[in-house]
Amino acid sequence: MRQEASDVRGMKWGTLRIGSFDPTSSQWPLSAVLADYRRLYPGIEIHVDEGPDRQVVQWLMDR
């Protein structure tokens, strides 16, 4: 409920979860994008989880 109220006031906060298939994708291209994202949305906590293809797909299905 707090997050919804903050969103209405334009004060975004919460969590962004990203599933990555290999360490390379979470280092170069993703790190540049996330740096910009963090600057624009400082209240959003970012988690990058790395795993094999099947595991990342399972995370998507579970969540």
Side-chain angles (χ1 to χ4, degrees), residues 22-39:
D22 65 58
T24 306
S25 65
S26 65
Q27 289 179 10
W28 175 71
L30 192 56
S31 63
V33 170
L34 291 181
D36 289 339
Y37 189 90
R38 283 186 181 111
R39 190 174 63 255

